[in-house]
Amino acid sequence: MSKKRVVPLLLLLGLLPACSGGGDLPEETATPTPTPAVEVTAEPSPTPYDGPVSPLSGLPIGEEWLNRRPVAIMLNNLKEALPQMGQSQADIIYEVPAEGGITRMLAVYQSVEGVGKIGSIRSARPYYLELALGHDAIFIHAGGSEDAYTRISQWGVAALDGVRGPYLSNQENGNLMWRDPERKKSYSLEHTVVTTGEAIIQRFAGYTNLRQEHKEGYVYEMDFTEDGTPSGGFSADHLQVPFSHYKTGEFQYDPQSGLYLIEEYGEAYIDGDTGEQVGVTNVVVLKTSIRNTGDSLGHMTVDLSSGGTGYFACGGQAIDLLWSKDYPDGQLFYTDLEGDPITFGTGRTYVCIVPLDSLVSIS
């Protein structure tokens, strides 16, 4: 609706002579109303995180976990035992061949706070003990080869065993480990042993004879940066890593998340606790001598003390690496071919330990 314009009387009188002369009235020019200035406030930049970070991943962590010994848990990886649970929240996953071409994982957690169900938990082998010792970790397992039991005693491994030790219950949350009621409905009994992060925290609080802190001066030699993409590398959007005739791992780089999404046995590698596909920031492949011991059970020996070559992938790029480890409790050290230490991308790491003749494909 238009408004009638009211013209003041004096203004009309002033215009009368012009009107009597027959001239046109001048057009009225509206004075523009000034637009009030809008004050734009810039969004404050997010404050960079400067709190404590996990020495195993560079990810934020509670102060109380910084000097704690990590927890290293043996995980089953038979097809019929899948899905694993809780592995997606491990700082580092080691996968190594075992007898018959199968593989098992060692999941290493600096903190288990907030981690749900973890499992299924299986038996130990000597080379998994070496990996756990390299982290000064507390080792959780359910059984082991006779050689592994000998090494646990010989090397002084802080091992909590669900078979020959008092750490397993048939009731849910009845001990550090228990046989999961749901898995017992459809899995063989050896595939049912589980724990949770909460159970580990609660039980460890009562283990007064278990050293749970690193000794003074302990330093873990692993460095992280926000973008760990190696310079001077080659394309590594996809890695295919054969462990044996039975198992090949697949790692597909996802630029959107910056993670390598993992597949095994032709399907997505799923965390059965969260339902999500496991993804990691860093993929490491180590080549070494792996051979059958010749015993009746087909147990393997894995050389973790001679060092060797391998690959490091992050951000869709890869480089060749050199690795070394002191026997039996030394840390794994990784360098490029010039001998400079490798800096990892902030996030979780997956370490594949494969035979010397493994035909690893990176493209």
Side-chain angles (χ1 to χ4, degrees), residues 16 26 30 50 84 109 113 116 137 141 143 201 203 226 228 239 241 249 255 267 273 362-363:
L16 285 177
D50 61 356
Q84 293 175 351
Y109 304 79
E113 189 172 32
H141 64 113
I201 293 171
R203 303 293 172 180
E226 192 64 32
L239 292 86
V241 184
E267 297 180 350
D273 189 54
I362 303 177
S363 57

Side-chain angles (χ1 to χ4, degrees), residues 161-320:
D161 182 13
V163 172
R164 297 186 187 178
Y167 300 103
L168 181 67
S169 172
N170 283 317
Q171 296 182 343
E172 188 167 5
N173 203 26
N175 207 322
L176 175 65
M177 291 169 267
W178 59 91
R179 297 197 182 276
D180 182 62
E182 286 303 311
R183 290 181 72 88
K184 284 171 67 175
K185 295 176 182 177
S186 54
Y187 290 85
S188 298
L189 198 61
E190 66 269 24
H191 305 324
T192 62
V193 178
V194 302
T195 186
T196 64
E198 182 180 5
I200 293 171
I201 293 171
Q202 289 178 348
R203 303 293 172 180
F204 276 27
Y207 297 163
T208 55
N209 293 327
L210 177 66
R211 177 174 63 85
Q212 298 183 40
E213 300 280 328
H214 289 302
K215 293 180 179 179
E216 186 176 353
Y218 181 88
V219 176
Y220 186 69
E221 302 290 345
M222 196 170 182
D223 294 323
F224 296 91
T225 185
E226 192 64 32
D227 182 2
T229 307
S231 59
F234 48 91
S235 178
D237 289 327
H238 181 256
L239 292 86
Q240 187 177 67
V241 184
F243 289 87
S244 67
H245 67 279
Y246 181 83
K247 167 66 196 293
T248 294
E250 303 273 350
F251 301 83
Q252 184 65 49
Y253 184 63
D254 174 35
Q256 186 171 358
S257 64
L259 301 177
Y260 281 94
L261 301 179
I262 307 171
E263 297 181 6
E264 63 173 11
Y265 307 122
E267 297 180 350
Y269 180 44
I270 298 297
D271 183 332
D273 189 54
T274 66
E276 297 177 347
Q277 184 174 7
V278 180
V280 295
T281 301
N282 310 288
V283 179
V284 175
V285 180
L286 305 182
K287 288 195 166 189
T288 192
S289 173
I290 299 176
R291 54 188 180 82
N292 196 306
T293 63
D295 70 7
S296 60
L297 298 175
H299 290 146
M300 311 297 289
T301 62
V302 179
D303 183 358
L304 293 178
S305 58
S306 295
T309 61
Y311 307 100
F312 166 69
C314 182
Q317 292 284 302
I319 58 171
D320 295 280

Side-chain angles (χ1 to χ4, degrees), residues 49 52-61 91 222 224-226 345-347:
Y49 178 80
V53 298
S54 168
L56 303 186
S57 65
L59 295 170
I61 196 172
D91 289 290
M222 196 170 182
F224 296 91
T225 185
E226 192 64 32
T346 298

Side-chain angles (χ1 to χ4, degrees), residues 303-360:
D303 183 358
L304 293 178
S305 58
S306 295
T309 61
Y311 307 100
F312 166 69
C314 182
Q317 292 284 302
I319 58 171
D320 295 280
L321 65 71
L322 302 173
W323 67 271
S324 62
K325 184 183 186 302
D326 291 336
Y327 178 84
D329 58 353
Q331 299 178 27
L332 274 165
F333 289 96
Y334 308 103
T335 72
D336 60 23
L337 297 184
E338 284 69 48
D340 296 319
I342 286 176
T343 300
F344 287 73
T346 298
R348 296 178 169 88
T349 298
Y350 198 110
V351 181
C352 309
I353 300 177
V354 300
L356 292 170
D357 60 357
S358 176
L359 299 177
V360 177

Side-chain angles (χ1 to χ4, degrees), residues 27-236:
E27 288 188 7
E28 181 181 357
T29 304
T31 304
T33 304
T35 304
V38 178
E39 185 176 348
V40 178
T41 305
E43 288 289 331
S45 300
T47 304
Y49 178 80
D50 61 356
V53 298
S54 168
L56 303 186
S57 65
L59 295 170
I61 196 172
E63 184 86 36
E64 69 275 16
W65 294 96
L66 273 182
N67 199 47
R68 294 286 293 271
R69 300 177 71 183
V71 177
I73 304 177
M74 284 296 309
L75 295 180
N76 197 351
N77 195 43
L78 285 174
K79 291 180 186 177
E80 55 265 34
L82 297 179
Q84 293 175 351
M85 297 172 290
Q87 79 275 30
S88 66
Q89 293 173 270
D91 289 290
I92 302 175
I93 297 174
Y94 294 97
E95 183 174 11
V96 197
E99 55 273 11
I102 68 172
T103 64
R104 287 184 181 163
M105 276 82 160
L106 185 71
V108 184
Y109 304 79
Q110 183 64 37
S111 165
V112 291
E113 189 172 32
V115 181
K117 196 171 289 185
I118 305 170
S120 62
I121 302 172
R122 283 305 301 268
S123 57
R125 301 291 180 267
Y127 41 94
Y128 294 107
L129 300 177
E130 292 182 61
L131 293 169
L133 284 170
H135 293 285
D136 188 33
I138 298 169
F139 183 70
I140 295 178
H141 64 113
S145 65
E146 291 303 321
D147 193 16
Y149 277 117
T150 298
R151 301 299 179 180
I152 285 171
S153 176
Q154 188 179 83
W155 293 337
V157 182
L160 308 180
D161 182 13
V163 172
R164 297 186 187 178
Y167 300 103
L168 181 67
S169 172
N170 283 317
Q171 296 182 343
E172 188 167 5
N173 203 26
N175 207 322
L176 175 65
M177 291 169 267
W178 59 91
R179 297 197 182 276
D180 182 62
E182 286 303 311
R183 290 181 72 88
K184 284 171 67 175
K185 295 176 182 177
S186 54
Y187 290 85
S188 298
L189 198 61
E190 66 269 24
H191 305 324
T192 62
V193 178
V194 302
T195 186
T196 64
E198 182 180 5
I200 293 171
I201 293 171
Q202 289 178 348
R203 303 293 172 180
F204 276 27
Y207 297 163
T208 55
N209 293 327
L210 177 66
R211 177 174 63 85
Q212 298 183 40
E213 300 280 328
H214 289 302
K215 293 180 179 179
E216 186 176 353
Y218 181 88
V219 176
Y220 186 69
E221 302 290 345
M222 196 170 182
D223 294 323
F224 296 91
T225 185
E226 192 64 32
D227 182 2
T229 307
S231 59
F234 48 91
S235 178

